[in-house]
Amino acid sequence: MSLKTSTLGFPRTGPKREMKIALEKYWSGAISADELITTSDSIAVKSYEEQLSRGVDFIGVGDHTLYDHILDWSERFGLTCTRVKAAKLTGLDAYFTQARGRDGIHALDMTKYFDSNYHYMVPEVPDDVTPTGDFKEFIRQIKLGQQTVGKEKTVPIIVGPLTLSKLCKPCGDLSSDELLTRLLPCYEQLLKELQQIGVSEVQFHEPWFVKSEAVNLKDVASALYGKGSALTSSKSGISVNLCIHFDSLHVDVYKYIITLDVERITLDFCRGSSMLSILEREGFPNNKQLGAGIVDGRNVWKSEESAAKLLTRIRKLVADDNKVVVSPSCSLQFIPYDLSLEKDLPSDVREQLAFAVQKLDVLIKLASSSTTTNDDYEWVGEDNTSGADDISKATKVGEVTVTADMFSRSEAFDVRREKQVSVPRFPTTTIGSFPQTPELRRNRLAWKQKKLSEADYQQVIDAELKKNIDIQTDIGLDIFVHGEPERSDMVEHFGQRLEGFSFTNHGWVQSYGSRYVRPPIICGPVSRREPMTVREFKVAQEMTDRPVKGMLTGPVTILNWSFCRVDTPRWKQALEVALAIREEVADLEAAGCRVIQVDEAALRERMPLKDEEAASYMSWAVKSFRLSTAVAKSSTQIVTHMCYSTFEDIIDKIDEMDADVLTIENSRSGNEMLSALSGFGYNRDIGPGVYDIHSPVIPSKDELIEQVRNLAQSGLPLDRIWVNPDCGLKTRKWNEVIPSLKNMVAAAKVLRDETAPRMG
């Protein structure tokens, strides 16, 4: 018999970035709020229709968002941040101010969503908060789903109360437990409103249960979802599907989860190798359905045969096909929309892939197939740790034998620092990229389409380099960058110049808000063909006497922001990339580069969610960075940049990276990272971002003076503090960038004068 199928969410982008385009038109004033909502609705409806046409039985709806689904839920519960409330902003003005900021109001902090490459806005919750439920917009979305696919197939997706409370940021002494208690009446209200419009099933997404601390959350789980609890008492005929994804459950967590008063439990069998063995050992209750998350929602490989064998094992264990519902491992928002749009992928790679639309086909095929007797299943997933301990020994990576001495610089930091580029106190620089104008993008597209010759394209790039150098000279920065006009993306650019990568034309994935990326696909062994950045560095450096940074993306970030192989441990893939970057570092240095930045923006993004597994990941991640940079001479300054996450609990690992300068996103987080670095005793150079590049707001000179003063008073050594923006400036406009940087340089000069030693 065919099994029932369910989805847990779908890309919110539209097939060709329609959501991003509509947002940017709205922000520029080209379309109205009503037109934005109409476009948003049409994208949501199309995603529902895709799932309906494939034959999905239970379609997750209500996850579509204008910007971020966590921001949506914080608004629905009345958690609008205090500074936005004080400005008396409402509606979309309040919503987008929290996301992007505006003059005098800085945006919410943004960080990674669990271990995914998606980033959410962090709700700020004051001590005196009283959540209030306003679900009109959500109910409207659910009704739209019901009109599109029918009431019986429409399943509202709700971020669970435990997860939401844990993702919030208290602004005082409020605990997540107390916030959870205050939120519960609103969740009860929501269930009643859903029951009134004929909803028969809901999904509560509670990925927090995969974290290590969940072993201590049994009582919390029972209070939320146990028999007689507030939520289960309020569901009034609505079936609850408790969805727990992004990793395996700890066995002790699994034991209490299966006792909860819910009708279905959907588990992720793709992200952790132990979920099946726990199910086999502990069994599954016969009074519940099992949602079998066997179609990987986080990677683009089809892996159909492995999933079929996994499903066979699950069906034998549950023993009643009516009790098994086949689903993706999580929402499909983390992968591109539709493989059929791709015309240029190599056929041998393409036939192994499935994007979101094709994952639906895999889902239906698996559910419709008869049980196979071949159950010799071996877990196929992204292996973080297997064999990673061998890195400290001589390790063969391709044709190279990696030995222990290749991971260390020749001299200690304090010795190196005296030999490196000389800069004034509070030296100023930027993180790498500069704005890319529509004209530059048109020229790049023409070059890709072979409508512009290589020579003509190089002239375009060189003209941009000249403009970038001239602008930095006028602003008065201390360390220059070439501005990366030749790069479409900080990962894609390198992948296109390395063996072992494939690329898409429409494989967009939402990173945050209107920021979409096209992750490369690692499909074979990685190696460098030829120098990747040396030409642009040399051209730029010849235009100025100021040092120009060589700009590279680190091996862990390239790996984490790509769809990697599932047939090779991730640490081995990281070492392959590290060796390629190592060659580039050596070539830049030979070309006269004195400052080389190796960005590890995504160092933490794929760190395992369980504390007991994180140490192995961080060990090989740090070693991969060191392998890529340790080839540099002592006189070469190695910079790294980190962003999009929280790093306070891995400062010791950041220190182990042995970079000479750390630049880090900071402006939205209230200098929390500075306090942590100071408390740790971090004694290398540090460049905390002084203004938010995700916002169109131009920071004033006075605001930046105050921010640099905060850096000076943080406890970090004054001579080791750099002044720079939060991140690269590619997504901003020149009329925002130039005045912001001028104000930043002016602020640094004021602080130099204020902190200069006085004579007499």
Side-chain angles (χ1 to χ4, degrees), residues 569-604:
R570 294 181 69 239
W571 67 266
K572 281 193 174 181
Q573 296 176 68
L575 291 188
E576 290 176 355
V577 180
L579 287 173
I581 300 302
R582 181 184 179 94
E583 293 175 7
E584 192 71 12
V585 168
D587 281 348
L588 280 169
E589 190 176 66
C593 190
R594 292 177 285 168
V595 183
I596 301 176
Q597 182 170 310
V598 183
D599 288 342
E600 283 295 13
L603 179 77
R604 184 175 179 145

Side-chain angles (χ1 to χ4, degrees), residues 532-757:
M532 301 179 285
T533 65
V534 173
R535 181 198 172 276
E536 287 74 24
F537 161 73
K538 291 173 71 174
V539 171
Q541 186 63 81
E542 288 170 359
M543 297 174 177
T544 180
D545 293 331
R546 296 285 176 92
V548 176
K549 286 195 276 190
M551 299 300 305
L552 305 176
T553 302
V556 181
T557 295
I558 289 177
L559 184 72
N560 284 347
W561 283 356
S562 300
F563 293 117
C564 65
R565 298 165 65 183
V566 293
D567 61 349
T568 301
R570 294 181 69 239
W571 67 266
K572 281 193 174 181
Q573 296 176 68
L575 291 188
E576 290 176 355
V577 180
L579 287 173
I581 300 302
R582 181 184 179 94
E583 293 175 7
E584 192 71 12
V585 168
D587 281 348
L588 280 169
E589 190 176 66
C593 190
R594 292 177 285 168
V595 183
I596 301 176
Q597 182 170 310
V598 183
D599 288 342
E600 283 295 13
L603 179 77
R604 184 175 179 145
E605 288 198 10
R606 294 299 307 278
M607 188 172 80
L609 297 172
K610 291 184 174 60
D611 298 340
E612 58 270 24
E613 298 172 5
S616 177
Y617 167 85
M618 287 306 306
S619 175
W620 64 253
V622 168
K623 287 175 181 175
S624 296
F625 176 84
R626 291 178 63 136
L627 178 63
S628 69
T629 57
V631 67
K633 298 175 183 176
S634 293
S635 57
T636 299
Q637 186 179 74
I638 294 294
V639 183
T640 193
H641 175 68
M642 297 182 184
C643 55
Y644 296 140
S645 196
T646 54
F647 301 98
E648 289 87 343
D649 58 341
I650 60 166
I651 292 176
D652 58 333
K653 300 303 177 184
I654 294 173
D655 191 48
E656 287 178 20
M657 292 170 70
D658 199 23
D660 299 304
V661 182
L662 166 67
T663 63
I664 196 160
E665 190 174 32
N666 172 72
S667 67
R668 291 190 180 190
S669 61
N671 295 324
E672 292 172 359
M673 185 64 180
L674 295 190
S675 299
L677 286 165
S678 179
F680 176 79
Y682 191 83
N683 67 349
R684 304 171 195 273
D685 286 24
I686 174 74
V690 296
Y691 78 89
D692 179 13
I693 65 88
H694 303 298
S695 170
V697 175
I698 298 170
S700 69
K701 176 181 173 181
D702 289 342
E703 289 172 330
L704 289 171
I705 288 172
E706 185 61 29
Q707 180 64 358
V708 180
R709 279 200 187 109
N710 288 337
L711 304 186
Q713 296 167 6
S714 66
L716 296 169
L718 295 182
D719 291 331
R720 299 197 173 179
I721 296 175
W722 288 65
V723 178
N724 46 258
D726 258 344
C727 203
L729 299 166
K730 174 185 170 184
T731 60
R732 301 266 56 90
K733 298 176 181 177
W734 277 116
N735 61 2
E736 299 163 347
V737 167
I738 292 174
S740 296
L741 291 180
K742 284 185 174 180
N743 290 342
M744 184 187 81
V745 169
K749 290 178 178 178
V750 168
L751 265 293
R752 286 173 196 164
D753 291 340
E754 286 185 0
T755 61

Side-chain angles (χ1 to χ4, degrees), residues 254 269 275-286 290 309-321 323-324 371 375 377:
Y254 177 80
F269 288 88
M275 199 65 255
L276 178 63
S277 62
I278 291 172
L279 181 67
E280 290 176 325
R281 190 164 62 250
E282 302 298 329
F284 190 78
N286 58 17
L290 173 63
K309 292 179 179 179
L310 172 58
L311 182 58
T312 294
R313 295 275 285 272
I314 291 171
R315 291 171 79 169
K316 287 182 178 180
L317 288 167
V318 177
D320 182 352
D321 281 352
K323 301 293 186 182
V324 178
T371 305
D375 62 356
Y377 167 74

Side-chain angles (χ1 to χ4, degrees), residues 230-293:
L231 292 183
T232 57
S233 299
S234 303
K235 59 187 182 179
S236 301
I238 297 178
S239 295
V240 171
N241 179 6
L242 182 60
C243 304
I244 306 172
H245 35 266
F246 298 149
D247 202 353
S248 301
L249 290 174
H250 188 284
V251 62
D252 292 337
V253 177
Y254 177 80
K255 287 179 179 179
Y256 72 69
I257 288 292
I258 61 175
T259 69
L260 300 177
D261 186 23
V262 297
E263 285 67 33
R264 188 184 311 154
I265 300 170
T266 296
L267 301 174
D268 186 339
F269 288 88
C270 296
R271 281 286 136 175
S273 59
S274 63
M275 199 65 255
L276 178 63
S277 62
I278 291 172
L279 181 67
E280 290 176 325
R281 190 164 62 250
E282 302 298 329
F284 190 78
N286 58 17
N287 64 340
K288 291 177 173 54
Q289 288 184 322
L290 173 63

Side-chain angles (χ1 to χ4, degrees), residues 14 17 44 314 466 475 502 648 695:
R17 296 188 294 169
I314 291 171
K466 179 69 164 60
I475 291 171
S502 288
E648 289 87 343
S695 170

Side-chain angles (χ1 to χ4, degrees), residues 39-199:
T39 301
S40 178
D41 285 352
S42 69
I43 295 168
V45 166
K46 181 173 177 57
S47 75
Y48 303 154
E49 290 174 340
E50 290 280 9
Q51 296 169 76
L52 178 67
S53 68
R54 260 56 183 193
V56 177
D57 296 298
F58 307 108
I59 298 173
V61 303
D63 60 318
H64 187 76
T65 178
L66 295 176
Y67 197 92
D68 169 49
H69 66 291
I70 298 299
L71 180 58
D72 293 348
W73 282 105
S74 69
E75 287 291 278
R76 289 164 189 159
F77 288 116
L79 305 182
T80 303
C81 76
T82 303
R83 58 187 172 277
V84 171
K85 285 183 179 178
K88 301 189 184 305
L89 297 173
T90 59
L92 291 183
D93 286 342
Y95 182 82
F96 287 125
T97 297
Q98 291 177 96
R100 306 175 74 227
R102 65 167 56 192
D103 287 336
I105 306 175
H106 66 85
L108 295 173
D109 197 4
M110 180 173 66
T111 194
K112 72 186 185 77
Y113 188 63
F114 292 86
D115 66 338
S116 76
N117 290 339
Y118 178 75
H119 305 85
Y120 75 97
M121 309 308 300
V122 183
E124 296 176 7
V125 185
D127 286 344
D128 61 353
V129 69
T130 301
T132 55
D134 183 354
F135 304 113
K136 291 190 294 293
E137 175 271 335
F138 184 65
I139 295 296
R140 190 188 68 82
Q141 279 200 49
I142 303 309
K143 288 181 176 179
L144 186 64
Q146 291 175 331
Q147 293 164 11
T148 306
V149 305
K151 286 188 176 182
E152 69 283 355
K153 289 182 176 289
T154 299
V155 182
I157 296 173
I158 303 170
V159 175
L162 172 65
T163 295
L164 183 61
S165 64
K166 293 290 188 178
L167 294 179
C168 289
K169 176 183 179 180
C171 295
D173 297 326
L174 180 70
S175 68
S176 61
D177 289 343
E178 176 59 26
L179 175 59
L180 177 60
T181 299
R182 297 183 193 181
L183 284 170
L184 279 179
C186 297
Y187 275 96
E188 295 176 50
Q189 174 191 338
L190 174 58
L191 287 173
K192 291 175 182 176
E193 292 188 26
L194 291 172
Q195 191 273 335
Q196 290 170 3
I197 63 170
V199 167

